[in-house]
Amino acid sequence: MRILIVGTGGVGAAAAAIAQRRAFFSHMVLADVDRERAQAVVERLGEPDRFSAAQVDASDQAALVALMRESRADAVLNACDPRFNEPIFFAAQEAGPTYLDMAMTLSQRHPEQPFERTGVMLGDVQFEASQAWEEKGQLALCGIGVEPGLSDVFARYAQDHLFSAIDEVGIRDGADLEVEGYEFAPTFSIWTTIEECLNPPLIWERERGWFTTAPFSEPEVFEFPEGIGAIECVNVEHEEVALVPRWVDCKRVTFKYGLGQEFIDVLKTLHKLGLDSTDPVTVRGVQVSPRDVVAAALPNPATLGDKMRGRTCAGTYVTGTGKDGRPRRTYLYHVADNETTMREYGSQAVVWQTAINPVIALELIAAGTWSGAGVLGPEALDPVPFLDLLNDYGSPWRMEERA
Amino acid sequence: MRILIVGTGGVGAAAAAIAQRRAFFSHMVLADVDRERAQAVVERLGEPDRFSAAQVDASDQAALVALMRESRADAVLNACDPRFNEPIFFAAQEAGPTYLDMAMTLSQRHPEQPFERTGVMLGDVQFEASQAWEEKGQLALCGIGVEPGLSDVFARYAQDHLFSAIDEVGIRDGADLEVEGYEFAPTFSIWTTIEECLNPPLIWERERGWFTTAPFSEPEVFEFPEGIGAIECVNVEHEEVALVPRWVDCKRVTFKYGLGQEFIDVLKTLHKLGLDSTDPVTVRGVQVSPRDVVAAALPNPATLGDKMRGRTCAGTYVTGTGKDGRPRRTYLYHVADNETTMREYGSQAVVWQTAINPVIALELIAAGTWSGAGVLGPEALDPVPFLDLLNDYGSPWRMEERA
């Protein structure tokens, strides 16, 4: 298999480092708008026969098509901000490789009732193209990071192997990560965090279908395992809510993020001041988007690994009736410890936990274990080989029964 | 008298409108980096014989000297951000007119102990030049807005006419202004508010001299008069603390600003995220200062007058021993009601309250009532004619005895 990764930020670089230990691919091209950044990743990998660098503007669909053809990619992994999903996804549709991403095309709020009804939903643009992919026998595996990604695999596993009937699939994400030496330093892209936390959160219910609420709704204290402890979680717009109901039979799907009160306050203040906006403002004759400036003023989370301490937990809390007919509440989860990911891969925990999942998916696709056509979420495919391979990669998943 | 105003933002434009009703000057040139903005102010005034527009870059000292000479200005009023104080002040020193400003040159924090010791203080750069001005018999009247300005006049009045001995001169500023239709809309330049609120607050004590504390120190609930009510005030860096001890005999000088908890939280968050910084960051190849972006993302306070409601109060709380030998606590203050300032001058209250004071000073200078040489604060001059003229302008000051 020949792989093209578009975007060599934290996640793209970590995916390459994780894949390097596996034999399932013959060559990987690492492309970035900044050729030197891609080249630096290739040099760090130190295996010039298997890895090469390229330059591409991820907003330029024609350039992407040319690069996909030139690199003879069997699969392309989109490791860019979701802003670039459309050009990369449609370039893949044109050029032919299997397409993978870790977030779906962005939503647009309902013009009149943004906090009640959906407008354009996460992934809508991609799902609309599904039939065209299906007709070509081409696979777009969307949302195959950790969340969405592993969380969706957990939901499918719960349906297939743990539950006879599911009430709610509730993704719950929390961490006890701290960054030394900074008063405030997000451990994940602040641009994306603002996008997902300030957009109207998406909820699905069998009777109502998809609907939205005001940001930070339904606060809930969730107990995270392995000593991370209790964290205040709130509803957040996330792909799982758009994906899970399409393939998993349940009554309700939610996503709650353990932001903690300080982060919620920061996001509310950014919104109050208009600093979450992506619409450019004019500053001394120059046009910039306030959200880009917020991102630029904060340290790049991918560079903070050696100052971070703690663990991040991604998981799926499933409630309903077990295979034995009795009530069941199970949290399926995966914990990444920053100390381990830094020592073994030089990547910080959140970035690394995102990056391992598309590599596993690529390995399953290379082996023919996972295959399909059209635009699919991770829960459309058999979860068992994925979860087995995650253990095989030395980063086991776990589950915890709750009373 | 011929006057040059540099800067036709809210305060410069309001000063021109206030001066227009008075006969003490023959011509006023309104200069701005944006000639159209200056021209628009002149057109609104509708008196082309007395007012004319000019273009000047307030960072270009040579251009300022040329404009001062060309406009044959007897007095130049600096109505720009204090960032431009140095070029305008030194241009005036070179060209010869009387100079007035409403804020002094900026401070630089102590490199090792920023929250204990002063570094470069507000106005230091200007006071260092005082002897040169004195030798030329030229007057620089600094800090003659409302705060600093009227607040300093109040301190001198208290010394001359109310107290036999002063313990503390405490400037206290508070408002009940609200802006309709905005979740958050500062009523004064956010750039300057960030500067003064996040710099280490300055305090002066007779035994210790000038020293600094951490931002937002010594919170105190101060009761503002005329129904504005109780507001949480905190120490803020302000010129009065640098000015008052030079001319008024007292034991302590402080400045506390009634920011209120929401505004304090916003400022703390901006600081936490590095968005208060004036150091440029690179955003998609463009250099911008985060603080400029914060200002650009918020509505321009000078344009909010018709959506504002409420009053702003500036004043000086003096404690000590009265002329009768008994303990005395007196708050000398001035209230501007947005409804009145909008109706009568088309200026919002905070801007208008700042702008009226340099106009009064210019009238006293034109009449020869106020005169002097060197770099002086408002408390260096006789407060009575100033306070009388403030009443004569139809905007009386008041005082309130406290138990």
Side-chain angles (χ1 to χ4, degrees):
Chain A
M1 177 185 253
R2 293 179 63 86
I3 299 169
L4 167 65
I5 297 186
V6 182
T8 61
V11 173
I18 294 165
Q20 185 175 24
R21 304 193 181 181
R22 312 293 298 188
F24 70 88
F25 68 98
S26 57
H27 194 82
M28 185 180 277
V29 177
L30 301 172
D32 201 281
V33 68
D34 176 354
R35 177 190 285 278
E36 283 174 27
R37 181 159 84 158
Q39 189 57 46
V41 174
V42 166
E43 275 161 27
R44 274 202 306 279
L45 293 166
E47 206 181 348
D49 292 348
R50 281 223 294 174
F51 296 93
S52 59
Q55 195 278 336
V56 75
D57 176 350
S59 67
D60 181 346
Q61 192 173 319
L64 287 160
V65 169
L67 176 62
M68 288 176 195
R69 287 183 174 145
E70 188 190 320
S71 61
R72 293 175 289 126
D74 303 299
V76 57
L77 172 59
N78 168 5
C80 296
D81 272 6
R83 278 176 285 186
F84 299 104
N85 270 27
E86 291 192 38
I88 305 174
F89 173 82
F90 288 111
Q93 186 178 330
E94 190 178 337
T98 296
Y99 167 88
L100 297 88
D101 64 32
M102 290 163 276
M104 297 192 74
T105 47
L106 297 173
S107 65
Q108 286 172 36
R109 55 185 65 195
H110 190 280
E112 284 95 39
Q113 297 170 275
F115 306 125
E116 293 158 48
R117 298 172 63 180
T118 60
V120 176
M121 269 177 29
L122 287 173
D124 271 1
V125 173
Q126 290 174 295
F127 280 118
E128 271 163 31
S130 187
Q131 202 182 336
W133 287 69
E134 221 171 318
E135 282 164 8
K136 291 175 68 181
Q138 192 184 356
L139 173 62
L141 178 54
C142 292
I144 185 69
V146 61
E147 281 172 347
L150 180 53
S151 51
D152 301 80
V153 171
F154 283 145
R156 175 65 184 265
Y157 182 81
Q159 170 178 270
D160 290 2
H161 300 285
L162 306 179
F163 285 78
S164 60
I166 295 177
D167 291 332
E168 176 163 345
V169 171
I171 320 301
R172 297 292 180 270
D173 177 299
D176 65 0
L177 293 164
E178 284 181 3
V179 184
E180 267 173 60
Y182 288 90
E183 225 183 325
F184 185 79
T187 55
F188 188 65
S189 156
I190 187 75
W191 198 100
T192 307
T193 306
I194 291 172
E195 178 73 16
E196 61 191 19
C197 294
L198 291 177
N199 277 350
L202 188 64
I203 296 177
W204 180 87
E205 290 179 1
R206 193 182 281 159
E207 277 74 38
R208 291 180 67 179
W210 283 292
F211 62 95
T212 58
T213 72
F216 312 114
S217 63
E218 297 183 8
E220 161 193 327
V221 174
F222 190 81
E223 185 73 32
F224 288 91
E226 302 192 15
I228 294 174
I231 301 176
E232 174 141 329
C233 298
V234 290
N235 278 324
V236 158
E237 179 190 54
H238 230 254
E239 286 84 347
E240 290 91 328
V241 183
L243 290 169
V244 168
R246 297 176 198 259
W247 287 283
V248 174
D249 187 26
C250 59
K251 290 186 187 156
R252 191 170 204 258
V253 184
T254 57
F255 181 99
K256 291 192 183 178
Y257 192 13
L259 283 169
Q261 199 54 54
E262 184 189 18
F263 212 122
I264 291 174
D265 288 345
V266 163
L267 292 170
K268 285 182 175 173
T269 300
L270 289 175
H271 179 63
K272 190 154 68 176
L273 274 61
L275 297 172
D276 58 322
S277 174
T278 56
D279 295 336
V281 294
T282 304
V283 178
R284 297 171 188 274
V286 162
Q287 296 264 308
V288 289
S289 119
R291 195 191 293 181
D292 285 340
V293 175
V294 172
L298 287 167
N300 177 351
T303 67
L304 295 177
D306 53 0
K307 296 178 192 72
M308 274 169 59
R309 186 169 302 185
R311 295 148 302 169
T312 183
C313 177
T316 303
Y317 183 53
V318 185
T319 59
T321 309
K323 294 286 187 197
D324 59 3
R326 294 169 62 185
R328 184 169 191 172
R329 298 167 172 272
T330 307
Y331 185 54
L332 301 94
Y333 68 90
H334 180 261
V335 168
D337 185 319
N338 191 68
E339 201 191 326
T340 311
T341 63
M342 280 304 291
R343 187 182 60 234
E344 301 211 351
Y345 291 91
S347 284
Q348 56 105 308
V350 181
V351 161
W352 185 88
Q353 195 185 35
T354 305
I356 187 174
N357 295 287
V359 178
I360 291 172
L362 284 164
E363 182 159 349
L364 293 174
I365 291 164
T369 313
W370 269 13
S371 63
V375 175
L376 302 183
E379 53 279 270
L381 300 163
D382 184 359
V384 173
F386 189 96
L387 294 173
D388 286 350
L389 207 45
L390 184 59
N391 290 338
D392 192 51
Y393 272 56
S395 187
W397 65 284
R398 295 201 168 83
M399 60 188 217
E400 194 176 88
E401 298 303 319
R402 304 223 167 165
Chain B
M1 177 184 253
R2 293 178 63 86
I3 300 169
L4 167 64
I5 297 186
V6 182
T8 60
V11 173
I18 294 165
Q20 185 176 22
R21 304 195 180 179
R22 311 293 298 188
F24 69 88
F25 68 98
S26 57
H27 193 82
M28 184 180 277
V29 177
L30 301 173
D32 201 281
V33 67
D34 176 354
R35 176 189 286 279
E36 284 173 26
R37 181 159 85 158
Q39 190 57 47
V41 174
V42 166
E43 276 161 27
R44 274 202 306 279
L45 293 167
E47 207 182 347
D49 291 348
R50 281 223 295 174
F51 296 93
S52 58
Q55 196 279 336
V56 76
D57 177 349
S59 68
D60 181 346
Q61 192 173 319
L64 287 160
V65 170
L67 175 63
M68 288 174 196
R69 287 182 173 145
E70 189 190 318
S71 60
R72 294 174 288 126
D74 303 298
V76 57
L77 170 59
N78 168 6
C80 296
D81 272 6
R83 278 175 285 186
F84 299 104
N85 270 27
E86 291 192 37
I88 304 174
F89 174 82
F90 288 111
Q93 186 177 333
E94 190 177 336
T98 296
Y99 167 88
L100 297 88
D101 64 32
M102 290 163 274
M104 297 194 73
T105 46
L106 297 173
S107 65
Q108 286 171 36
R109 56 185 64 197
H110 190 280
E112 284 95 41
Q113 297 170 276
F115 306 125
E116 294 158 48
R117 299 174 62 180
T118 60
V120 175
M121 268 176 29
L122 287 173
D124 272 1
V125 173
Q126 290 175 295
F127 281 116
E128 271 163 31
S130 188
Q131 202 181 336
W133 287 69
E134 222 171 321
E135 283 163 7
K136 291 174 69 181
Q138 191 185 355
L139 172 63
L141 177 55
C142 293
I144 185 69
V146 61
E147 281 173 347
L150 179 53
S151 50
D152 301 79
V153 171
F154 284 144
R156 176 65 185 266
Y157 182 82
Q159 170 179 271
D160 290 2
H161 300 283
L162 306 179
F163 286 79
S164 60
I166 295 177
D167 291 332
E168 177 163 344
V169 172
I171 320 301
R172 298 293 181 268
D173 177 299
D176 64 1
L177 292 165
E178 284 181 4
V179 183
E180 267 172 61
Y182 289 89
E183 224 182 328
F184 185 81
T187 56
F188 188 66
S189 156
I190 188 75
W191 198 98
T192 306
T193 306
I194 291 172
E195 179 73 17
E196 61 190 20
C197 294
L198 291 177
N199 277 351
L202 188 64
I203 295 176
W204 180 86
E205 290 179 1
R206 191 182 282 160
E207 277 74 37
R208 292 179 67 179
W210 284 290
F211 61 95
T212 58
T213 73
F216 311 114
S217 64
E218 297 183 8
E220 162 193 327
V221 174
F222 190 81
E223 185 73 32
F224 288 91
E226 302 193 13
I228 294 174
I231 302 177
E232 174 139 330
C233 298
V234 291
N235 278 323
V236 158
E237 179 191 53
H238 229 255
E239 286 85 347
E240 290 92 328
V241 183
L243 289 170
V244 168
R246 297 176 198 258
W247 287 284
V248 175
D249 187 26
C250 58
K251 291 186 186 157
R252 192 170 204 258
V253 184
T254 57
F255 181 98
K256 290 192 183 177
Y257 192 14
L259 283 170
Q261 199 54 54
E262 184 190 19
F263 212 121
I264 291 173
D265 288 343
V266 163
L267 292 169
K268 285 183 174 173
T269 300
L270 289 174
H271 179 63
K272 189 153 68 176
L273 273 59
L275 297 173
D276 58 322
S277 174
T278 56
D279 296 336
V281 294
T282 304
V283 178
R284 298 172 186 271
V286 162
Q287 296 263 309
V288 288
S289 119
R291 194 192 292 183
D292 286 340
V293 175
V294 172
L298 288 167
N300 177 352
T303 67
L304 294 177
D306 52 0
K307 297 178 192 72
M308 275 169 60
R309 184 170 302 187
R311 294 148 304 169
T312 184
C313 177
T316 303
Y317 183 53
V318 185
T319 59
T321 308
K323 294 287 187 197
D324 60 3
R326 293 168 64 184
R328 184 169 192 172
R329 298 166 173 272
T330 307
Y331 185 54
L332 301 95
Y333 68 90
H334 180 261
V335 167
D337 185 320
N338 191 68
E339 201 192 327
T340 311
T341 63
M342 281 303 292
R343 188 183 59 233
E344 301 211 351
Y345 291 91
S347 285
Q348 57 105 308
V350 181
V351 160
W352 186 87
Q353 195 185 35
T354 305
I356 187 173
N357 295 287
V359 178
I360 291 171
L362 284 164
E363 182 159 350
L364 293 174
I365 291 165
T369 314
W370 269 13
S371 63
V375 174
L376 302 183
E379 52 279 269
L381 301 163
D382 183 359
V384 173
F386 189 96
L387 294 173
D388 286 349
L389 206 45
L390 184 59
N391 291 337
D392 191 50
Y393 272 55
S395 187
W397 65 284
R398 297 201 166 82
M399 61 188 217
E400 192 175 271
E401 297 303 319
R402 304 222 168 165

